[in-house]
Amino acid sequence: MLRMTSTMPDIHQAPGLAAVVQRVSAARTLATVHELARDHYAGRRVGTPGGRAAAAWLAERLRELGAKVELDSFPVADVRELYATPVLEWSAGGQALRLEHRRDFAEHLASAELPHPHTAPLAAASEGDLRGRWVLAEAGDWAQACERAEAHGAAGVLTARGTDAEGWMPKMIAGPAARAVPIIALRADLHARLADALAAGPAQVTGSMPLRQVTAEGHNVHARFPRAGGAGSGPRLLLTAHYDGVGDDPGVRLPAAADNASGVAAVLEAARVLTAAVTAPVDLAVTFLDAEEAGAWGSAHHAPQVPPDTLVINLDGAAQLHQAASVEAGGPAHALLATLDQAARLVGVPLRAGAMASDNRRYAAAGLAAIGIGMGMPGYQTPAETPDRVQPNTLLAAARLLVATTWLLSSRSTG
């Protein structure tokens, strides 16, 4: 069982490694984060021009490192696309309140499309006559409210949803099957306030939900590097990170700097150092994955193609390391986990067992030894996920951990 490792580096036990990890550049890694968070990439959602531009940029960087690069396309279904800013306002007791998208309310992923604002009276979900009315769901009971709304021809459903610690309602683009009525998720305290207003007298709601489901084309970026150390028996290692984000809202940037430009930047920097410094035999490949945010489609497409003896390390988030990095192992990963733990001790990166629901699980499900690592995502999937919140020391820690793990794996193959 993985226990928290010491935060004190023990690099003196591996002097050859000490020189290698010193080659990791925080400035170069941070520059990659800033690049991928630029306006040009528009949040890097799968199937968008910004997403394709990010894939092309990464492919060129990998070619500069001497890798053989291939872009592999695949279809992605049921991606939620918000094509205009939603509207939500209500009036009750002679007062009107217009709400702010992503601060006060957000799209519910099971919502039917409602392209234009619709005004109708509000009703509690328990009322008998719901036809043509907006329905206020009981907290935590949106599905039952939808069933009644659908059965009675209601205009739509308002349900409660929480926010993150900074008051944002994070964006997501994958979810349950769409219902037959529009659904708007209202901030929990505002939902309670609306319930109080309805209890005091009539209320009227105006809302829109310009949300549709689209099919997109994803693009994985595969890079295979010349075998370090030339001929010989060595491990087969695949480093992965997803480069896609949830995409900008209409008129609002979601830069996706932490999730997962930070992970991509650390993997790219590790590959740069390893190709120049590791001389022991190792078969190194890097894959930058698309459509993780839409349901890990990129890794699901790729995992069955990976040779069964491949060791996989996936990095999702390398922006803000607090007490320790979260690590999840799947498949026959015991030996790989032990090596990762040793590498972490050598470079002073604390680890702890923790759930990592990312692309690593697709590789583990395919029977591969797979480890997922996460080091924090401040501003996760909101406009606050900006490059200035990505910590250079965390990028250094992530890249050095990958370098040290690869160095140990390759060194053992010659021992």
Side-chain angles (χ1 to χ4, degrees):
M1 184 177 187
L2 184 70
R3 292 180 172 86
M4 185 177 293
T5 64
S6 169
T7 58
M8 295 297 295
D10 204 13
I11 200 73
H12 65 275
Q13 293 190 7
L17 175 60
V20 174
V21 297
Q22 288 304 313
R23 299 189 184 194
V24 175
S25 166
R28 192 163 48 215
T29 312
L30 193 57
T32 297
V33 173
H34 278 270
E35 171 64 30
L36 292 173
R38 284 176 51 208
D39 294 355
H40 175 66
Y41 302 105
R44 309 189 306 277
R45 202 209 78 193
V46 60
T48 63
R52 291 190 293 273
W57 187 86
L58 289 167
E60 187 58 29
R61 302 291 78 74
L62 291 164
R63 291 188 185 100
E64 291 173 353
L65 299 182
K68 181 180 178 181
V69 179
E70 174 188 1
L71 270 69
D72 183 19
S73 63
F74 55 93
V76 182
D78 300 330
V79 179
R80 272 53 170 190
E81 180 178 75
L82 193 68
Y83 56 88
T85 302
V87 170
L88 182 61
E89 56 186 71
W90 84 68
S91 59
Q95 294 185 334
L97 183 65
R98 186 177 180 90
L99 305 182
E100 180 182 351
H101 179 235
R102 212 156 298 291
R103 283 292 196 181
D104 301 325
F105 75 100
E107 58 278 9
H108 191 288
L109 294 172
S111 179
E113 184 179 5
L114 181 63
H116 304 296
H118 179 79
T119 302
L122 182 66
S126 58
E127 291 186 33
D129 181 16
L130 301 181
R131 181 167 299 279
R133 305 171 79 181
W134 284 97
V135 177
L136 188 65
E138 296 287 341
D141 200 15
W142 68 271
Q144 184 174 348
C146 285
E147 290 175 4
R148 294 206 68 230
E150 290 165 345
H152 293 273
V157 171
L158 303 180
T159 186
R161 175 180 165 181
T163 66
D164 67 12
E166 298 173 3
W168 291 101
M169 303 177 85
K171 181 178 183 178
M172 300 175 189
I173 59 172
R179 304 297 300 239
V181 292
I183 313 168
I184 300 177
L186 183 63
R187 204 176 71 207
D189 62 309
L190 292 173
H191 181 275
R193 181 177 165 186
L194 184 54
D196 290 342
L198 180 61
Q204 187 165 266
V205 169
T206 298
S208 71
M209 188 44 61
L211 182 73
R212 61 193 171 201
Q213 296 188 23
V214 299
T215 297
E217 185 176 50
H219 299 275
N220 288 338
V221 184
H222 302 299
R224 184 166 298 281
F225 294 89
R227 188 176 183 84
S233 175
R236 191 191 303 270
L237 179 64
L238 172 65
L239 302 180
T240 64
H242 78 88
Y243 70 88
D244 64 301
V246 294
D248 290 349
D249 280 341
V252 179
R253 290 295 332 280
L254 280 81
D259 183 21
N260 186 32
S262 64
V264 168
V267 169
L268 183 62
E269 180 65 9
R272 187 188 307 274
V273 171
L274 289 167
T275 55
V278 174
T279 57
V282 60
D283 189 348
L284 178 66
V286 166
T287 291
F288 291 131
L289 296 157
D290 202 357
E292 192 271 351
E293 302 294 359
W297 287 72
S299 50
H301 173 73
H302 182 223
Q305 307 171 29
V306 178
D309 60 341
T310 302
L311 308 175
V312 182
I313 301 177
N314 181 72
L315 181 60
D316 195 353
Q320 193 176 80
L321 181 62
H322 292 295
Q323 290 185 334
S326 294
V327 174
E328 177 181 300
H334 298 292
L336 177 58
L337 185 61
T339 304
L340 180 77
D341 187 55
Q342 182 185 0
R345 294 175 186 276
L346 289 172
V347 298
V349 178
L351 306 179
R352 63 182 173 193
M356 281 302 302
S358 186
D359 290 303
N360 48 288
R361 293 186 177 179
R362 296 290 197 179
Y363 293 105
L368 300 165
I371 286 178
I373 304 172
M375 296 188 183
M377 299 178 182
Y380 175 70
Q381 295 182 180
T382 74
E385 193 186 330
T386 51
D388 61 289
R389 304 188 68 182
V390 177
Q391 298 176 345
N393 285 344
T394 300
L395 291 171
L396 274 177
R400 286 173 173 173
L401 180 60
L402 296 176
V403 168
T405 302
T406 306
W407 188 87
L408 289 175
L409 290 169
S410 63
S411 297
R412 287 172 183 169
S413 68
T414 60

